[in-house]
Amino acid sequence: MAKVEEKLRIAIVGGGLVGALAACFFAKRGHRVIIYEYRSDVRMEKSHGQSINLALSFRGREALKAIDLEDILVKRHGTCMRGRMLHDKDGNLKEVLYDSVKGNCIYSVNRRYLNVVLLDAAEKYPGVQLKFNRKLLSADLEKGKMQFLDTNTGMTEDAEADLIIGADGAHSKVRKIMSRKPLFNCAQTYIEHGYVEISVPHTKDNQFAMSGNNLHIWPRGEFMMTSLPNENRTFTGNLFAPFRVFEKLKTREALLSFYSEHFPDLLQLVGEENLVKQFFEKEPQTLISIKCKPYHVGKTAVIVGDAAHAMVPFYAQGMNAGFEDILVLDELMERYESDFAKILPKFSELRCDDGHAICDLAMYNYIEMRDLVTRKSFLLRKFLDKVLYTLVPNFWIPLYSAVQFTRMNFRECIAHKEWQDKVLRTSVFYFGILFFAIFAILVL
């Protein structure tokens, strides 16, 4: 990374995964960084926030590699998932590999552990300060001025920075302030589905109760269960369903009847008492999708990660796309020598439409996971993709592989998929004409 002549003051609002990663990148370039995090230090006490397991793929790995953290998080603490394991109601299994041609896989990682590693890494840089229990009250984004509340003492403090980075999640305060600006467009969508977390314990001899190298899915049309392996040989599972389905599961009897009918093999692994206890601990959680444009204000403020493009979790790209945001920012800093008057507009140009695209892909993948994966037409398309990917791997890259295992921008991934669909439809059409022509000749 190039050296900078002037150390800039960088304020990062949000000390989660993307904010902590951003601190490492900016500190590595020699800038002075302060992270302001609303929560207490996750390293000192366990977070009570969401705990959907994270799936780390190529985009996220490339960002971690740039700050020398890929090895510890992937090889030492990541759990390899080579494909989806589909469970039908009778307990029959079908494995669908993510990449049967090149053998690529994604890695299940622990959200809290990853946050701890990134915060520790950021704190090792001499130019980084971490301030927890700081709630952003207001900000003048053009002037780089902010006011925070110390939630421990009740005192307010003023802060200034050359660049404000909003990495404060789906309900971002920085984005809310940006939304008051002219020509800033923002839309949020709560889908009519929610989720409840259900953990699957390890066996009595401390082994995985199911295959430990798969993402497990119980597709049931309008709802589904998923389960990701953990390093301690448990699984973090989630029931995703319409809220009207959850409304019918208000009693122990209704819940057990529902799982006995739709997920009998899972019920056996979790156990009735354990299932009831976990299910009724919390209300079903909501799922939100955020699209906005632009991602910056002048040369002094930018939003990244969920603050810019929160998405439903079904393509496992929320974290990876957020990490790639920081990687793109770093690449632009290299190109424009840390001139944020050029960097931030270019960042919005490169990432806004991409953010919209991955939000759309994530919504589509929910339909695929809970319903399409059981259809013969879907499996046929997977087979055709595999054959063509094997024969011409640089020419025919399946959509899932393009998203998970390359840095092809998300808009191009969609355009490439649309082109592939057109090629296959045209091929089927002309094959049909050829077939009937041959049939007619033979008959005559």
Side-chain angles (χ1 to χ4, degrees):
M1 293 183 179
K3 293 182 179 179
V4 293
E5 295 181 2
E6 180 186 359
K7 290 185 177 181
L8 301 176
R9 298 168 301 168
I10 311 296
I12 300 176
V13 183
L17 302 175
V18 176
L21 179 78
C24 294
F25 270 87
F26 280 91
K28 194 170 183 178
R29 285 190 171 273
H31 298 299
R32 292 170 291 169
V33 180
I34 301 180
I35 293 179
Y36 297 93
E37 168 56 45
Y38 175 61
R39 301 168 301 172
S40 56
D41 191 341
V42 70
R43 298 170 298 177
M44 302 301 164
E45 56 183 70
K46 291 188 177 181
S47 170
H48 296 289
Q50 63 174 339
S51 57
I52 291 179
N53 257 36
L54 300 169
L56 181 65
S57 57
F58 184 74
R59 298 170 199 269
R61 291 179 63 176
E62 287 293 284
L64 293 171
K65 184 189 296 184
I67 55 171
D68 302 319
L69 289 179
E70 182 190 22
D71 185 72
I72 186 173
L73 289 166
V74 174
K75 295 181 180 178
R76 299 188 201 174
H77 293 281
T79 304
C80 168
M81 296 187 293
R82 65 192 182 195
R84 298 167 175 170
M85 186 68 77
L86 307 180
H87 298 242
D88 69 14
K89 287 187 178 182
D90 296 324
N92 299 312
L93 304 177
K94 181 177 181 58
E95 185 179 36
V96 180
L97 297 177
Y98 291 134
D99 185 355
S100 59
V101 177
K102 296 185 178 181
N104 287 309
C105 63
I106 58 179
Y107 288 84
S108 175
V109 293
N110 180 277
R111 177 189 297 273
R112 181 177 179 276
Y113 178 76
L114 177 54
N115 204 173
V116 167
V117 169
L118 287 170
L119 288 171
D120 285 343
E123 202 168 39
K124 289 179 182 177
Y125 291 96
V128 174
Q129 286 182 261
L130 306 180
K131 293 190 175 184
F132 297 97
N133 304 110
R134 298 301 196 277
K135 180 182 180 180
L136 179 65
L137 297 177
S138 62
D140 186 328
L141 299 179
E142 287 90 348
K143 295 180 180 179
K145 294 184 177 182
M146 299 154 287
Q147 186 178 65
F148 292 92
L149 171 69
D150 185 328
T151 58
N152 281 337
T153 66
M155 302 291 289
T156 60
E157 60 181 88
D158 295 324
E160 291 188 37
D162 299 301
L163 176 65
I164 299 171
I165 300 175
D168 48 341
H171 303 285
S172 169
K173 177 70 173 181
V174 177
R175 187 185 68 243
K176 184 177 180 180
I177 295 170
M178 287 177 67
S179 70
R180 301 168 189 159
K181 304 292 178 185
L183 303 180
F184 182 86
N185 296 305
C186 186
Q188 70 173 35
T189 303
Y190 281 98
I191 68 171
E192 296 179 358
H193 294 234
Y195 70 92
V196 169
E197 185 174 300
I198 304 293
S199 297
V200 180
H202 53 64
T203 62
K204 292 180 180 180
D205 56 348
N206 200 34
Q207 297 300 313
F208 282 114
M210 305 177 287
S211 167
N213 293 118
N214 293 99
L215 164 64
H216 293 262
I217 305 176
W218 290 258
R220 299 296 183 262
E222 66 173 355
F223 54 85
M224 69 175 181
M225 276 289 307
T226 66
S227 198
L228 279 74
N230 296 313
E231 190 179 7
N232 65 0
R233 295 185 175 83
T234 64
F235 286 86
T236 299
N238 289 280
L239 171 63
F240 295 98
F243 282 105
R244 55 183 172 76
V245 170
F246 286 117
E247 284 298 315
K248 298 176 182 178
L249 305 178
K250 295 294 187 180
T251 66
R252 171 192 172 93
E253 292 72 21
L255 177 66
L256 293 179
S257 175
F258 177 78
Y259 269 79
S260 295
E261 178 182 355
H262 297 290
F263 314 111
D265 58 336
L266 186 65
L267 177 59
Q268 185 175 1
L269 296 177
V270 176
E272 291 187 0
E273 297 306 319
N274 192 16
L275 173 67
V276 171
K277 180 178 181 296
Q278 292 187 65
F279 189 87
F280 292 116
E281 275 181 344
K282 290 183 179 179
E283 290 294 317
Q285 303 296 298
T286 58
L287 295 165
I288 192 171
S289 181
I290 300 285
K291 294 180 181 180
C292 61
K293 189 175 185 177
Y295 289 164
H296 75 288
V297 172
K299 62 177 183 179
T300 53
V302 65
I303 51 176
V304 294
D306 283 354
H309 44 65
M311 65 197 73
V312 294
F314 306 112
Y315 227 120
Q317 284 299 301
M319 173 188 66
N320 292 289
F323 281 11
E324 190 177 41
D325 285 345
I326 308 305
L327 200 53
V328 170
L329 271 177
D330 189 67
E331 291 164 351
L332 292 174
M333 283 192 284
E334 187 72 26
R335 185 190 307 178
Y336 297 112
E337 298 181 344
S338 294
D339 182 352
F340 288 103
K342 296 178 180 177
I343 291 168
L344 299 192
K346 190 66 176 178
F347 178 76
S348 283
E349 179 187 333
L350 292 173
R351 295 300 283 175
C352 283
D353 291 342
D354 253 15
H356 297 174
I358 188 56
C359 284
D360 291 339
L361 283 170
M363 292 294 291
Y364 163 78
N365 214 45
Y366 183 31
I367 300 171
E368 177 178 303
M369 291 173 71
R370 73 175 197 248
D371 184 23
L372 300 184
V373 291
T374 62
R375 300 189 181 185
K376 292 181 180 179
S377 57
F378 174 83
L379 297 175
L380 174 61
R381 175 58 191 267
K382 280 286 185 183
F383 173 76
L384 291 174
D385 276 339
K386 177 183 175 181
V387 171
L388 292 167
Y389 190 34
T390 302
L391 295 174
V392 282
N394 296 323
F395 177 73
W396 192 280
I397 304 175
L399 175 62
Y400 193 88
S401 293
V403 170
Q404 297 284 10
F405 307 126
T406 78
R407 284 196 60 199
M408 181 189 299
N409 71 56
F410 296 120
R411 290 166 296 172
E412 288 182 9
C413 291
I414 292 175
H416 194 65
K417 169 67 160 53
E418 291 172 345
W419 170 81
Q420 290 174 340
D421 291 344
K422 185 177 180 180
V423 169
L424 290 176
R425 285 195 301 268
T426 303
S427 300
V428 169
F429 175 75
Y430 283 111
F431 179 80
I433 291 176
L434 178 63
F435 174 81
F436 283 111
I438 293 174
F439 178 77
I441 292 171
L442 291 174
V443 170
L444 294 174

